[in-house]
Each structure stands twice: as C-alpha cells, then as structure tokens.
Amino acid sequence: MSNQHISSTTTTTAGGGLIISKTEALQSFLSTSANNTHLSPDLRQIASSLSHQPSSVPYKSLRSIWIASDPSTRPALSALLTGSHFVLNSPQPRQKSEELKARLRKYEEVAERKAYKELVKDITPRRDESEPFSSYKDQIGFGLHVALTMFTGYLVGYYTFRALFGHNPVMHAAGGILGLVGGMLVETLLFIIRASNQDRKTTTFTASKIKKNQ
C-alpha cells in the first residue's frame, strides 16, 4: 500500500480488524460492486453497506469483495488502495466494577487517615506516652504492686507490734492494719508523684513540638 500513514481518527465501524480510510477510488469501486452481478448477494449487500459509510471501511471486507470480483474488470489492488491510510480506533474506557470502586474508596480513606496521623504526629503525643495505665498490662501490674506493698506493710506492722507488745493478738492485728494503711498511703503518694511527672513530661513534649513547627 503506497502513501500509508497511521491516523488517530476515531471511527465507529461494523466489524473488527484493520480499518482503512475511504478514497474516491474505493468509493467508486464499492458503488460499482454493489450492482455487480458477478458477486454473490451477500457481497453485494456488504459493498452497498460499505459505500454508505462516511470515511472508512474494513480492509478484510474490501479484500473479500475485490477477490470475488471479475479479474478482467476489477482495478489493481495497489491502485485501489493508493491514497488510503490506516485508521486506529480509540479503545473504549474501561468501566470500573462497583466492588473495585468500593475497594478504591476504602484505600483512599485509609490513605487519608494515615496522612492525617503523619501530619499531626509531631504535636499529638502518643497514647502510651501521655496516659498512665492505658493498657491492661499496666493496670494489672499496678494492682499487683499495690497489693504487694499493702501486704508487706501489714506484715511489718504485725511483727513490729508483736515485738513491742508481746503475746497480745489484738495489738498484733492493730499493728498489721496500721502497717497496711501506711503501705497504702505510701503507694498513693508514689502514684501522685509519678502522675505529676508524666503530666510535666507530656506538657513539655507538646510545647516543644509546637514551637518547633512554628
């Protein structure tokens, strides 16, 4: 085929395969073939349909009509295709399924939440750094520690009063209770001190990050 150029023109044609642009020579050949009794009725119908297409024709159908035409009267194929060029059909946009759309929306939401956390991570302290006993492990550990301290205070008070007051069960029990209360008070004081230190650390951390980002 001479003078063949690839064209990006979008066309809508019947059938698939190679599409070529229509020239005056092709239009004349198709119009003649539509009335050519040498061709079968099907080929004449195809020729008539192609002759009414505005700008392009399928090469496969054109070649079938040309091969079935009388060799003594048909034009040379090279002369018939002179001035014609390929026409490329633009692909249809792929439609996204509802499942894919939902999955994409979910990924977008996750990405947005991750981006937000990344944006505020410098000014928002982490939960485990700002809140004491934020996990069950911390709570259980603190409870066991308090129980152990109170039990130790009870034993210390019990045996101290036993040594001071001899064989007096009432005083022994009173000493144990006093030691238990003392242990509870000591643990409460330690808890207040730890919480105050944690609050100061959190306030200092937040203020320094805000100042850094300004």
Side-chain angles (χ1 to χ4, degrees):
M1 181 185 300
S2 60
N3 299 328
Q4 294 174 354
H5 303 285
I6 303 298
S7 169
S8 60
T9 305
T10 303
T11 59
T12 302
T13 59
L18 184 62
I19 306 297
I20 59 176
S21 62
K22 184 185 290 186
T23 61
E24 293 183 2
L26 284 176
Q27 179 63 37
S28 176
F29 173 73
L30 291 173
S31 298
T32 302
S33 299
N35 299 316
N36 188 353
T37 57
H38 187 79
L39 300 176
S40 65
D42 291 339
L43 288 177
R44 289 201 302 270
Q45 181 64 33
I46 294 175
S48 176
S49 176
L50 294 179
S51 66
H52 290 88
Q53 291 190 10
S55 59
S56 61
V57 293
Y59 173 75
K60 183 177 180 180
S61 299
L62 175 66
R63 189 170 182 274
S64 299
I65 295 172
W66 181 84
I67 291 175
S69 299
D70 188 356
S72 61
T73 58
R74 69 187 182 190
L77 185 61
S78 59
L80 190 62
L81 298 177
T82 298
S84 182
H85 52 267
F86 297 127
V87 177
L88 301 180
N89 291 329
S90 297
Q92 295 294 328
R94 185 177 180 181
Q95 298 295 330
K96 298 179 181 178
S97 65
E98 292 301 325
E99 180 181 358
L100 178 59
K101 291 179 180 179
R103 188 176 302 173
L104 290 175
R105 285 195 297 269
K106 182 178 179 180
Y107 289 156
E108 289 175 357
E109 292 174 358
V110 172
E112 289 177 358
R113 287 196 295 268
K114 185 176 180 180
Y116 176 77
K117 290 180 180 179
E118 187 71 18
L119 182 64
V120 302
K121 69 176 184 179
D122 291 336
I123 60 176
T124 303
R126 294 180 180 178
R127 180 179 178 87
D128 56 357
E129 294 178 350
S130 61
E131 298 182 11
F133 315 118
S134 58
S135 65
Y136 289 112
K137 183 178 179 180
D138 293 339
Q139 295 173 9
I140 293 175
F142 176 73
L144 292 176
H145 186 269
V146 171
L148 180 62
T149 301
M150 294 174 66
F151 179 72
T152 303
Y154 178 85
L155 291 179
V156 171
Y158 179 87
Y159 285 105
T160 299
F161 273 55
R162 181 177 180 181
L164 293 175
F165 297 102
H167 301 286
N168 190 339
V170 176
M171 296 303 296
H172 299 168
I177 294 174
L178 184 61
L180 185 147
V181 173
M184 183 175 62
L185 291 176
V186 170
E187 189 62 35
T188 302
L189 180 61
L190 293 176
F191 172 77
I192 294 174
I193 294 173
R194 285 196 297 266
S196 298
N197 291 335
Q198 185 67 32
D199 289 340
R200 283 197 297 270
K201 289 181 181 179
T202 301
T203 304
T204 304
F205 173 81
T206 304
S208 62
K209 288 299 182 179
I210 294 176
K211 184 177 180 181
K212 180 181 178 180
N213 291 329
Q214 288 179 345

